[in-house]
Amino acid sequence: MEMRKPSRGRPRSFDEDAVLDAVMRAFWEHGYEGTSVATLEAATGLKAPSLYGAFGSKEVLYHAALERYAREHGNVLRPDGPAREAISEFLYEAADQFSESGLPPGCMVSTAALALGVAQRGVATRPATMRSETLAGIEQRLRTAITEGELPAGTDAGALARLFGAVIQGMSVQAIDGATRRELRGLATAAMAAWPR
Amino acid sequence: MEMRKPSRGRPRSFDEDAVLDAVMRAFWEHGYEGTSVATLEAATGLKAPSLYGAFGSKEVLYHAALERYAREHGNVLRPDGPAREAISEFLYEAADQFSESGLPPGCMVSTAALALGVAQRGVATRPATMRSETLAGIEQRLRTAITEGELPAGTDAGALARLFGAVIQGMSVQAIDGATRRELRGLATAAMAAWPR
DNA sequence: TCATTTCTGTAGTGGTCGCTAAATAATGCC
DNA sequence: GGCATTATTTAGCGACCACTACAGAAATGA
C-alpha cells in the first residue's frame, strides 16, 4: 500500500477514511453523474482543493469509493459448505444489506453507471467488471458443486449464475424503488426455488 | 389526444415522430443526466429552439420518450392462456428485446433513473411507477392463476412477482454489460425453474 | 400584396460543471 | 527564529449546462 511518509508540512485536518466514507455514500446514493464536486464538498465539509489534493480527481475519487464499498459493504460467496447454502446465504445477505437503514438503498455496484454521457464512458468499466467478476465467482462455485455431485451433471452453471446475479441486480433496483427488507427476503426465497433438483 | 389545428404559420420542417424516436434512443442509451440538450440536437438534427417549441423542456421530452418506449418497445403479459406460459413468453421476449441489434441494449424502464442528482429527483418517479406497475401486473396475473388452481393455494404471489420482475431488471443490467441474446435466454430458462410445482 | 401566424437559426443568458493558481496557515527541521 | 514543506482557503478558470430573446423565413388568410 501507500506509505505515510510526511511528518513535514502542515498536517491534514481531516480523517481520510471518514471523508472517503462520506464520498462513498454520496456516489452510492446519487451515482457518478448525479454527484457533483459541490455535493462532495457539502458531504465531506471539505473544499475542492483538499479533495483534489488528497485524491486527484472526481473519477479516482469514485473508484476509491467503489473499492471502499466492496471492502466494507461487499458481499462474498462463502467458499465452504454446500453451494446451495452459500448461494442462499448470499441472497439473504443482499436482501438485508440493500435495505439497511442509515445507508443508501440498493447496491453501489449492481446498478452503478448503467447510463452515462459519452464523455464519462470510461467510468462505467470498473463497476461493469466488478459485476462480471461476481457472476464468474458464482459460476465457478456452481461448477465445483457439479463436479462434487451436489448439482446434476447437466446443470447449466453459466445460466444459473446469471440468474442469481440477476436476482441480486433486481433486488438492488427494487430496494431503490422502496421495497422493504421483508419483501426482498421473500424475493430471495422465491429465487431459491430455481435451484436444480 | 392533441389536436393538430394550425394550418396557419410556417409548417414544421421535421417529422415529430422520427425526432421523438431519435430522442428516445438517446435517453435509452445514455440516461437522463447523461443526455444533454446538445446531444439531442446532434441526435435529431434540430436546434434547441425547435425542440423546445415542439415539446417544452428536457424533462417533458424525457417523459414523452418514456411513453414512446412503452408503446413501441414495451413488453406486455399475455392475458389469456396459462400463466406459466405467459410469464415464460414474457421473459424470453425480454431476452430478445434487450439484445436487439440496432437498438440500445437493456430496457429503458427497468434500469432507468436509479441514481440522479438531488435537483433531478422528480425525473425518477415516472420510471419507478412504471416498474411498480409491471410488478403489480405480474402479481395480479399470478393471483388469478392461484384462484384458478394453476398455482398451489399457498403460493406467495407478491414474492414470485418480485422474482420475475427482478429477473427482467437483472437481464437489463446484464444486457448493458454485454450479455448475448443466447445468454439472456438461458437466464430466462433458469428462472422458469422457480415456477412452483 | 400585405398582415398574421408559426417555425427556424443565431446568438446569446445566467448558472453550474470539474478543476486549479495563488495566497495564507500550520507543521518539522535546522 | 528562519526555512522548507505540505494543507487549506479564496477566488476564479474555461467549458458546458438547460434554456430563450430576437430576427428572419415560410406558410395562410385577407
Side-chain angles (χ1 to χ4, degrees), chain A residues 7-10 35-37 49 52 58:
Chain A
S7 74
R8 277 248 279 270
R10 179 172 175 172
T35 305
S36 68
V37 174
Y52 280 84
K58 184 187 173 185

Side-chain angles (χ1 to χ4, degrees), chain B residues 103-125:
Chain B
L103 289 174
C107 173
M108 189 181 174
V109 173
S110 292
T111 47
L114 296 174
L116 292 175
V118 279
Q120 278 81 34
R121 206 170 353 189
V123 176
T125 60

Side-chain angles (χ1 to χ4, degrees), chain B residues 7-11 35-38 48-49 52 57-58:
Chain B
S7 76
R8 276 249 279 270
R10 179 173 176 174
T35 306
S36 69
V37 174
Y52 280 84
S57 74
K58 184 187 172 185

Side-chain angles (χ1 to χ4, degrees), chain A residues 48-59:
Chain A
S50 293
L51 286 171
Y52 280 84
F55 298 97
S57 73
K58 184 187 173 185
E59 186 165 349

